[in-house]
Amino acid sequence: MADKEYNIQELVHRDVYVNDKKVGTIVGERHHPNEARVQSMRIQVESDVADEYMRKPAELAPLPKELVHRMHTV
């Protein structure tokens, strides 16, 4: 989806997949006092993905905003 700007509310509750595997669901924007430093969304990670791929399994993880342009509409 090149050149399409997303509103944060359009992305909330959208599933995130890597290839055909669901890795999580977007739950909001990651906040930081210095907006220029942190520009990422927050995803709720599927528990099996967290256990298998994260060094320290967590419920939430950042999703860099530069990856949002690679999202496809279903």
Side-chain angles (χ1 to χ4, degrees), residues 3-47:
D3 302 328
K4 178 161 183 183
E5 291 292 322
Y6 282 102
N7 178 315
I8 300 302
Q9 295 306 314
E10 292 179 69
L11 297 173
V12 174
H13 303 298
R14 185 175 281 197
D15 293 335
V16 177
Y17 289 85
V18 172
N19 296 323
D20 291 331
K21 181 162 184 72
K22 180 179 175 184
V23 295
T25 303
I26 295 175
V27 293
E29 185 172 23
R30 184 173 179 205
H31 295 286
H32 190 279
N34 182 346
E35 290 294 322
R37 291 192 68 203
V38 176
Q39 296 184 0
S40 61
M41 303 298 293
R42 179 68 73 192
I43 66 171
Q44 184 170 8
V45 181
E46 295 290 311
S47 59

Side-chain angles (χ1 to χ4, degrees), residues 53-72:
Y53 296 103
M54 297 175 89
R55 284 183 293 195
K56 188 174 180 183
E59 209 172 281
L60 299 172
L63 172 67
K65 286 185 178 177
E66 62 262 11
L67 296 179
V68 171
H69 75 278
R70 300 195 66 181
M71 298 179 100
H72 301 284

